[in-house]
Every structure is written in C-alpha cells, then in structure tokens.
Amino acid sequence: MTKSREVKVVDTTTEEKIKEAARAVFYKKGYAATRTRDIAEEAGINLALLNYYFRSKEKLFDMIMLETVTGFMHTMATILNNEKSTLEKKVELVASHYIDFISKEPNIPIFMLSEIRNNSDGLLKKLPIRQLIMQSLFFKQHQEAVAKRKITEPNPLHFLMNLLSLVVFPFIAQPLFQGISGLNETQFNKLIHERKKLIPIWIKAMMKAK
Amino acid sequence: MTKSREVKVVDTTTEEKIKEAARAVFYKKGYAATRTRDIAEEAGINLALLNYYFRSKEKLFDMIMLETVTGFMHTMATILNNEKSTLEKKVELVASHYIDFISKEPNIPIFMLSEIRNNSDGLLKKLPIRQLIMQSLFFKQHQEAVAKRKITEPNPLHFLMNLLSLVVFPFIAQPLFQGISGLNETQFNKLIHERKKLIPIWIKAMMKAK
DNA sequence: AAATATTTTAATCAAATGATTAAATAACCA
DNA sequence: TGGTTATTTAATCATTTGATTAAAATATTT
C-alpha cells in the first residue's frame, strides 16, 4: 500500500473532505442559505478547490441531494421488500431504523423535504421510487391483511403516511416540541427513542380501528 | 367615508400590499432564498418602498414570522382550552381545523418549522406557549382519562405529538407522497381530507392500545 | 393657491457571493 | 534528476443583493 493510498484510506481525499463538509452545511442550512465559503471553511480548504473539484455550488448540491434521497429511498425499499418479515415486523424495522438514522442526522428530514419542495425539475421523477414502493411486499402484505379483515383501513398510502408521520415528524418539529414541553435535548431524545417500541403498537391499533 | 379611507378598505394600503407579498414569498421560498426584489415584484411596487415602510428585509421577516407563529399557537391554545368540548372532540377540532387551514396555505408548516430551526435567538422563548399548552384543559382531560384507564399512554406529549404528526406531516411530505403514489393534486387533496374523519378514530384507537 | 408633508421613483452604493485565473507548490513518472 | 501532471493558493471578476439617496410626484393642510 503506497503512501498516497494510505492517505486516501486513513485520512480522506480533499475531494471527499469537501463533499462531507458540503453535506454537513447543506443539511444544516439548506441550499439557499449556505455560502460556498461556509463549505470551504468547514472543509478547511481554499474556496477555489470547491470549484476545481465540483465545478459549481449547484453541481455539488445536486450530487449530495441525489445521494441523500437515493439512500433514503433505497433503505426504505429494502425494508419494505424484505421477504423474511411480516407486515408487523416491517413496521418495527422502519420505526427502529429511521429513528436511529435520523437521530444521527437530525436535519436530514427537513432538508430533504424542503429541497424536494423547491426542486421544480423534479428529482423524484428521475428515480424509480414509485414502483419500488407501490409494488413492494409491504403493500401486498397490507392488501392481504385487509382481505383477511385484519386491517380496516384499505388504503395502503394512509398506512405508510401514518407510519412515516409518527416516525419523522417529531424530529422535524423538535424545536417546537421542546419549546412547548420545556424538555432538554437529552430528555427529548429519550422520548423519541421510546417511540421505537410504541409506534408499532400504535400502528397496529390504528389500523384495526373502525 | 372619504376616498382615501375607501381605498384603504376596498383596495389595500401599499404597506399591506408589501406585507402580503412578503408573506407569500417567504412562505414559498423561505427567508434565505427570497430576494427583496422578489417581494417588490410580487407586490408591484418599487424596491425602495420595502425599506421605506419596513426598514429591512429582516424586520419585515421577523414581523411576519411572529404573526405566523403567534397565530398558529393562539388557535391551538384556543382549541385545547375550549371548556365545552371533550378530549375526543378536541382531537376532532384540531384535525379538522388544521387540515382546512394548511390546505389553504400548504407551505406554512415547512416554512414555520424550517425557520424556527434556524432561529438561534429563540423566537419561541419569547412567547408564552409553554404554559398555554402544557397547562391546557386538553392536558388535564388527558390526565383524567389516564387515571380512569381510558387511555394507556400516560405521556401527554406523545398524545399531542401523534396528533400533530398525523395532521401536519402529510402536507410537509406531499411532494414525496405524490411522487410515490402517482396521485395528482386533486386526488391527494381528497386523501388528505379523508383524514379529518380518520385521524380522530385512529388517535382514539392508538391511545387505548397497550 | 401656496406651503408642507407624505409617498414613490430612478439611480446608485457597498458588501456579499459564486466563479475564474494565473501563479505557486506538491506529487508523479521516465 | 528533470520534466510533466495534478493540486492548491492568492488575487481578482462579475453579478447579485440589501440598502440608501436625492429628486419627483402626490396628497394634505393652511
């Protein structure tokens, strides 16, 4: 292993450093509010290097945005299509995985959803998310459960919307809820993590309600 | 009624025109992405008038932000403190009111939550939202219901978080859900409005689950 | 009507910001 | 090593953007 290789493994490439810095700043402040100079500073590099490696702020952003959304959807599709888990287990997996994931990157949901909303040319339309989820095993299992009268709500979109709402919204509205409740960050995190167990129970009860 | 007064009533003041334009643009694009020139154009006025009436972009924004958050919280507090409604009825009122309200201004939730997140000096701390909600009749009724074993989940914050999640998140993630489902705007709106009836049923079932 | 105050406009400023350039430095290779 | 390529830097550009100014237009008061 040459020295240059070792640097790439142990430390990180300048290119990677910039990308990671950009990711951090974009996640926190969004596209419009981040300055290329913020990214340069965060990465500890000269401003010109950003354009040297990535041509423009917009190209760098598009790359990160694409990776973020793709990663999010890919994980979702993987869970929803898991052959070895029941519908109930999938609910547990979604809740558990995303609560842990978002806990590590709390700004991701509002970042993604804000930027998707702005994005007029439609990043979503370029990705094959539609069939990946609408034709997932999760949806088939839901359909079966409806047929067997295990679930009353026949629309699988309500099912998925409810699950994601309960998982994601508390993070998005965290500052609001902390302001209301007076809980500090540690206490709030504890509350959030309780939900890994609670959400599957709630979802189960909801979907049987009539 | 003089002519100048009539103008103020029928038409609108320049000042009001600017404020309404600013509201529209800020809601849609957020603080960082809106240009004072965007607001001027939307209002059909000269750029200098914005500074003449409101001194700066930031002051104009702060004013709109304060009104928005105050309005939101005030309505919430009013519903949660309604002496004449049961806990269940309050859930219905919240769902019904906010679904109608956000339907008319779909960008409000993500706007508010994004900007609250940025706001480092803490707009929330200046408002008396804490006691207004934590000491609300809604929370007292919840406590009673827990005592009477009508509700299993003892934490009222989970209760409120769940309710708001189910109401608000579908709007925030609307572009995502439309991308996933392939529904057009009309179809999606129909889905959202179904939730006015469904959410109270779901909440009821959830909170009794164990 | 004349004088005064208010509102609006066009022109301009200064700072911020995304991007480029040419030169310097470091890495690589024959 | 010496030459070539790749990386990095400092300086600078051109635009954009928030804000100001002085003058013009309009409304109000005396």
Side-chain angles (χ1 to χ4, degrees), chain B residues 34-37 47 51 56-57:
Chain B
T34 94
R35 311 285 101 106
T36 52
R37 282 162 178 83
L47 171 60
N51 294 289
S56 74
K57 175 189 176 186

Side-chain angles (χ1 to χ4, degrees), chain A residues 2 5 11-12 21-22 30 39 47 57 67 77-79 84 91 102 104 115 123-124 130 149 152 172 190 199:
Chain A
T2 68
R5 239 189 188 288
D11 221 310
T12 52
I39 298 174
L47 172 60
K57 176 190 176 186
E67 286 182 10
T78 302
I79 297 176
K84 295 182 178 172
V91 170
I102 301 173
K104 286 173 196 150
E115 301 297 347
L123 165 66
L124 290 181
R130 174 125 179 249
R149 301 288 188 271
T152 51
I172 294 179
K190 198 185 152 207
I199 288 173

